[in-house]
Amino acid sequence: MNKFVLVTGGAGYIGSHTVVALQQKGYTPIIADDFRNANEVVLKGLTQILGATPILHRIDVCDAAALNQLFEQYNFEGVIHFAAYKAVGESVEKPLAYYQNNLVGLINVLSMLEKHDVRNFVFSSSCTVYGEPKGEKEVSESTPKQAPESPYGFTKWMGEQIITDFHKSSAKSKLMNLRYFNPVGAHASALIGEYPIGKPNNLLPFVTQTAIGKHAHLTVFGDDYPTRDGSCIRDYIHVTDLAEAHVAALEFLAKAENGLLEAVNIGTGTGSSVLEIVAAFEKVTGKALPHQIGPRRAGDVVEIYANASKGQELLGWKARLTIEDAIRDAWAWENYLAASAQQ
Ligand code: UD1
């Protein structure tokens, strides 16, 4: 019997890798994506990896009627909800669009769980809910949440609050907030990866685009922070590991007899500085990466990395891949994109 899993935003960066991980574990992923922030290149790559066109419904999760139809069509084992806007800077420019899309989408999906008695739900949350950690830079799930820096961050923070209140009203629901640290890398085949629209804001896509010649240099946003080399520190997690964490979360929820709500950090447990990423890129690819030190970027957290022990204890999941793996795969994907553009 098919085990259908709804993956909203399943044509996006993390969503597409999760679709692959689900199929590998014998699930039938059903993608709901309106392609406003996804690309046909990824769909083509996904089709090649899966060996068949994925089941795709081009719908907007803010369209409650369309979503309802989907829940009538399939008997979902669970839902993994990615569909949301994710650019921090853009969220400052367009806060209403972020609150509207990210929160209405979430509310619609939760309403469908209730209406159609689907119990298992995984939410795409972020370490942004911890804000700038006070004192200890390694954060665990019990580290108090703090106000994030951006409307984007608040949509994740508020999303978790909505889920908490939903759980109180729906004791049978089994809900998990996965708090991602910094997703990087691409599928080992280099057929899917992150497809930044416009100039990327995130570090690794900017690094690979610079190395391929799209930008003259990378600007390192600040080298005067109180860290080991003065640049900011993050916990970079390979997207394939991250995708597998979703499947582990779903399996955990499916097995649980009673309702529950948990938050789990998805990181490696190790931080890397921006300058360490530059050095690692040069080492892995053998290419010099032009870079300059620039001013600090407003709103940047200085240093944060995951205490990743709960993921292992609760889900039996831990990161397998290294930052070098992620750099190698992101670089292969950048080269694949360049080759596809020339065809
Ligand atoms: C940000 C968000 C996070 C979101 C994530 C993914 C915050 C505090 N965090 O993470 O919630 O989930 O994006 O979209 O808003 N850097 C450079 N030069 C560049 C680009 C980045 O030096 O050209 C540095 C940044 O200053 C930072 C590090 O690289 O220290 C990582 O930046 P980025 O990839 O944008 O991720 P975060 O800011 O950690």
Side-chain angles (χ1 to χ4, degrees):
M1 211 176 84
N2 278 329
K3 288 198 284 183
F4 294 115
V5 176
L6 176 60
V7 188
T8 74
Y13 175 41
I14 305 169
S16 58
H17 290 80
T18 302
V19 164
V20 172
L22 283 166
Q23 182 183 278
Q24 277 169 352
K25 286 282 184 139
Y27 292 96
T28 304
I30 308 294
I31 301 175
D33 201 307
D34 68 358
F35 277 71
R36 80 177 72 176
N37 214 0
N39 193 279
E40 303 291 336
V41 173
V42 170
L43 190 58
K44 195 178 121 207
L46 199 49
T47 303
Q48 276 178 268
I49 297 169
L50 298 175
T53 315
I55 306 174
L56 166 68
H57 295 264
R58 290 181 190 252
I59 64 158
D60 175 358
V61 288
C62 292
D63 179 347
L67 205 56
N68 189 48
Q69 258 186 3
L70 213 54
F71 275 78
E72 277 174 0
Q73 189 175 344
Y74 300 97
N75 189 8
F76 292 122
E77 165 108 3
V79 177
I80 305 179
H81 180 51
F82 294 105
Y85 290 144
K86 63 167 189 178
V88 174
E90 185 186 57
S91 77
V92 177
E93 313 277 311
K94 302 177 184 167
L96 300 182
Y98 270 68
Y99 288 120
Q100 203 273 339
N101 187 44
N102 293 9
L103 298 181
V104 172
L106 172 64
I107 292 166
N108 280 351
V109 172
L110 293 175
S111 309
M112 290 303 139
L113 296 184
E114 190 163 52
K115 180 168 177 198
H116 297 273
D117 198 26
V118 177
R119 306 260 166 95
N120 306 318
F121 176 77
V122 181
F123 179 57
S124 172
S125 189
S126 167
C127 70
T128 196
V129 300
Y130 297 117
E132 172 80 58
K134 294 198 176 90
E136 187 54 63
K137 304 301 179 190
E138 181 189 272
V139 294
S140 74
E141 294 77 358
S142 55
T143 301
K145 290 202 257 178
Q146 294 189 85
E149 289 282 346
S150 65
Y152 156 77
F154 265 111
T155 67
K156 296 298 175 189
W157 195 95
M158 290 161 81
E160 288 203 1
Q161 187 59 44
I162 291 169
I163 290 167
T164 302
D165 293 334
F166 171 68
H167 184 58
K168 285 181 193 153
S169 76
S170 164
K172 283 189 275 185
S173 56
K174 295 183 280 179
L175 313 166
M176 188 163 300
N177 297 324
L178 295 186
R179 294 178 180 159
Y180 314 154
F181 283 67
N182 288 60
V184 286
H187 190 261
S189 65
L191 292 167
I192 56 172
E194 186 168 11
Y195 197 97
I197 293 172
K199 201 170 168 182
N201 298 305
N202 294 120
L203 179 62
L204 209 57
F206 205 95
V207 165
T208 55
Q209 286 196 0
T210 302
I212 212 151
K214 286 191 179 168
H215 312 289
H217 64 267
L218 166 78
T219 301
V220 175
F221 296 142
D223 71 344
D224 56 352
Y225 284 104
T227 59
R228 52 185 176 259
D229 61 18
S231 62
C232 293
I233 293 179
R234 298 286 186 278
D235 185 339
Y236 295 92
I237 171 88
H238 197 297
V239 65
T240 298
D241 281 331
L242 176 54
E244 286 169 6
H246 290 80
V247 182
L250 197 68
E251 286 179 337
F252 172 82
L253 295 177
K255 271 194 234 130
E257 282 178 15
N258 299 316
L260 64 100
L261 167 61
E262 295 281 354
V264 178
N265 283 344
I266 304 297
T268 64
T270 305
S272 304
S273 74
V274 178
L275 291 169
E276 285 164 356
I277 296 291
V278 171
F281 182 85
E282 292 185 331
K283 186 159 170 243
V284 169
T285 64
K287 273 185 83 76
L289 185 76
H291 61 283
Q292 293 177 2
I293 308 298
R296 293 179 174 194
R297 180 172 70 176
D300 256 340
V301 165
V302 180
E303 177 170 359
I304 187 166
Y305 55 95
N307 177 319
S309 56
K310 186 172 174 185
Q312 186 159 13
E313 282 154 24
L314 200 69
L315 310 178
W317 170 90
K318 77 174 185 142
R320 293 181 292 114
L321 300 166
T322 63
I323 186 66
E324 286 78 17
D325 293 322
I327 288 171
R328 183 199 60 224
D329 295 339
W331 181 232
W333 164 245
E334 189 69 59
N335 281 284
Y336 170 77
L337 281 179
S340 327
Q342 276 163 15
Q343 276 168 17

